[in-house]
Amino acid sequence: MTLIAANALVSLLVLAAFFFVVYGPWQWACTDFARQKLFEARDHIFDMAANGDLNFKSQEYRAIRRSLEMNIRFAHDLTLPNFLVLLISRRGKLEEKSELHRAIENLPPAARTAVEARVRYAMKSLILMMLFKSPVAMIVALPLVGAIVLIHSCRVQASKAAAFCSELIQVEAENAPTAIKVHVAHHGFG
């Protein structure tokens, strides 16, 4: 076997291993991550009901729990291509709200805020899972997300610097002798 053929065979084996990992264990790990976040949200909402913040027998509690369990089962089917087909078939519009969001809207305000936060976090995990399961999305999204985080960080730091500078200027302006005070003191007016 020539050196070129050996290199080609090694390259082919490495590529096959890469595809096996990306479309096998990596997919399962991403799905398991999202499912774990959904289980955590469901468990937290159960704990809220156990503490009396929600009623186990209420339609809202049952709908929220059922909806989270549906997402747990649906997670393995959720891929970026499937989502894009769904988005296109719905023309990017929703005519109705989900049963989950209708149930959350019917909760008392304090419970609604806590449940919304947990559900939002779990749904973000599903979105991240969908993106990370797609090699193309990872290649495109990771640099984009990195740039967005960097830009946001720069904005936050620039805003803090501007706030500090403006406060420093204001303190100095309030404590420094002004031109009028100097003029009055120099000419003896006042």
Side-chain angles (χ1 to χ4, degrees), residues 71-138:
N71 278 311
I72 291 168
R73 286 189 299 273
F74 181 65
H76 77 280
D77 287 331
L78 184 58
T79 63
L80 189 58
N82 289 350
F83 178 77
L84 293 174
V85 167
L86 176 64
L87 187 65
I88 291 167
S89 69
R90 293 228 180 206
R91 296 187 175 125
K93 297 178 185 174
L94 286 174
E95 281 78 32
E96 74 281 352
K97 285 188 177 183
S98 67
E99 181 180 1
L100 172 65
H101 285 96
R102 287 193 309 264
I104 291 172
E105 287 176 351
N106 290 331
L107 293 174
R112 181 183 325 130
T113 301
V115 171
E116 277 177 332
R118 284 295 175 157
V119 168
R120 189 177 319 111
Y121 180 74
M123 298 307 280
K124 284 180 183 177
S125 298
L126 276 175
I127 294 166
L128 287 174
M129 174 208 68
M130 178 179 63
L131 293 173
F132 277 95
K133 283 168 68 171
S134 169
V136 173
M138 284 178 44

Side-chain angles (χ1 to χ4, degrees), residues 38 41-42 45-46 48 54 58-72 99-107 111-112 115-116 118-119:
L38 288 160
R42 187 190 68 177
I45 292 165
F46 175 86
M48 288 178 67
L54 296 171
S58 72
Q59 290 291 58
E60 291 79 13
Y61 172 79
R62 290 178 182 180
I64 292 166
R65 188 170 174 89
R66 186 174 47 249
S67 295
L68 290 172
E69 289 167 352
M70 286 177 192
N71 278 311
I72 291 168
E99 181 180 1
L100 172 65
H101 285 96
R102 287 193 309 264
I104 291 172
E105 287 176 351
N106 290 331
L107 293 174
R112 181 183 325 130
V115 171
E116 277 177 332
R118 284 295 175 157
V119 168

